[in-house]
Amino acid sequence: MMQATQRAVGEFIGRFFAGLSPTTEDMHEFCARPLAHACVWANGRMVDDVESQLRAWMSNDNEPGARTYKLPVVIVALSNDYTQTAKEINYQVNDMRFIRLPNDPKNRVFGLKTVAADRRMQICIIAQERVTADSIAAQLSQFVSSERNRRFYAGYRFSGVDAGAWPVQIDAPDVYGKSVQVDGAKAPIILTTDFDLHSTLPMFSAPAPGEPNDGLGDPSNPDDLAGYPVVISVEGHEVHSDARWEVHV
């Protein structure tokens, strides 16, 4: 479940990077890079130790045979743990519901619950000069404050089928860069911003091996699971004064 949110955050950051306007000389070079050489994931769970993250970036060789470490760089971190979203913001489906996935060619019936999860995201902007760091931070503020960017979607798959896109909402879009001090006379400018992500995580289920199923898949194959059995028809037969019903599944 968590990997889908991380992929969605990566796509979100990619859209932010693609829309940046270079307002300084350093940003012209920054915006011309491939995304993977400009915006990177933190080595740890969060950007708590900025100095170690910066050292890792400085020692990273992004291209074979050439050291390409340059500033600015944007480092993104996403927590591995989560807390339940407040009920007034989002709700979760605690009791299993039976559903069909719209893209399932076999039209199987699976179970569904949802988890309403809050996760913490940090974005760290590191630049050699203040004007560049401030420009990236200001454009990040514009991006996340835009109505169409307040929510994005994480795609899931279940039993080899596209299980739809599920929402991730950014809370408190007001962005301000918190300056982080590092040692050294030529220390770069470092700004960090924290976000809360409200995610709806689907939890699908199917019959386990040995349980009744519809015979349309293999309960032991996660890429082609059998669905839950369904009622096909109900027939009634009247015998004298008694009624007899047959249920076909």
Side-chain angles (χ1 to χ4, degrees):
M1 294 189 297
M2 299 301 186
Q3 291 84 354
T5 303
Q6 182 165 345
R7 287 194 300 269
V9 169
E11 294 170 358
F12 178 80
I13 295 298
R15 289 195 290 111
F16 159 66
F17 177 71
L20 276 174
S21 297
T23 59
T24 68
E25 183 176 346
D26 283 355
M27 283 190 69
H28 277 280
E29 185 277 331
F30 175 70
C31 294
R33 298 181 207 165
L35 174 63
H37 292 183
C39 303
V40 297
W41 290 105
N43 293 331
R45 292 171 56 188
M46 303 298 291
V47 193
D48 293 323
D49 186 353
V50 176
E51 288 190 70
S52 66
Q53 300 291 344
L54 180 57
R55 284 195 298 270
W57 172 252
M58 292 172 63
S59 62
N60 184 39
D61 291 338
N62 293 313
E63 295 178 357
R67 181 178 178 181
T68 58
Y69 152 69
K70 290 181 180 178
L71 294 179
V73 64
V74 173
I75 301 177
V76 183
L78 191 64
S79 66
N80 291 328
D81 52 354
Y82 78 94
T83 58
Q84 184 175 339
T85 305
K87 292 181 174 62
E88 61 269 20
I89 297 176
N90 195 4
Y91 70 94
Q92 59 186 24
V93 177
N94 298 310
D95 298 319
M96 188 175 73
R97 300 179 183 178
F98 293 103
I99 56 95
R100 284 187 169 96
L101 299 175
N103 299 310
D104 183 10
K106 297 183 179 181
N107 204 31
R108 291 163 291 187
V109 172
F110 297 118
L112 172 67
K113 298 179 182 180
T114 65
V115 173
D118 281 0
R119 297 181 68 185
R120 184 168 159 234
M121 177 176 72
Q122 287 184 331
I123 296 180
C124 178
I125 300 166
I126 306 178
Q128 201 62 63
E129 54 183 11
R130 182 79 198 200
V131 64
T132 295
D134 285 347
S135 178
I136 297 174
Q139 293 186 64
L140 175 64
S141 176
Q142 287 181 324
F143 183 79
V144 300
S145 298
S146 172
E147 187 66 28
R148 65 188 180 90
N149 294 324
R150 291 286 303 280
R151 176 176 296 191
F152 53 97
Y153 294 87
Y156 292 82
R157 292 183 65 82
F158 182 73
S159 189
V161 178
D162 180 3
W166 295 75
V168 181
Q169 180 178 330
I170 295 181
D171 193 23
D174 295 335
V175 177
Y176 63 93
K178 181 175 63 177
S179 181
V180 178
Q181 299 297 321
V182 296
D183 295 331
K186 296 183 179 180
I189 305 299
I190 302 176
L191 303 177
T192 63
T193 303
D194 293 347
F195 300 89
D196 287 325
L197 302 180
H198 304 312
S199 303
T200 299
L201 311 177
M203 299 181 63
F204 298 100
S205 63
E211 293 183 344
N213 62 73
D214 59 8
L216 297 177
D218 181 356
S220 63
N221 182 1
D223 291 325
D224 186 22
L225 294 167
Y228 290 101
V230 297
V231 175
I232 298 174
S233 64
V234 177
E235 296 181 2
H237 304 277
E238 186 174 347
V239 181
H240 301 295
S241 61
D242 297 327
R244 184 180 65 200
W245 295 87
E246 295 181 358
V247 178
H248 302 276
V249 297

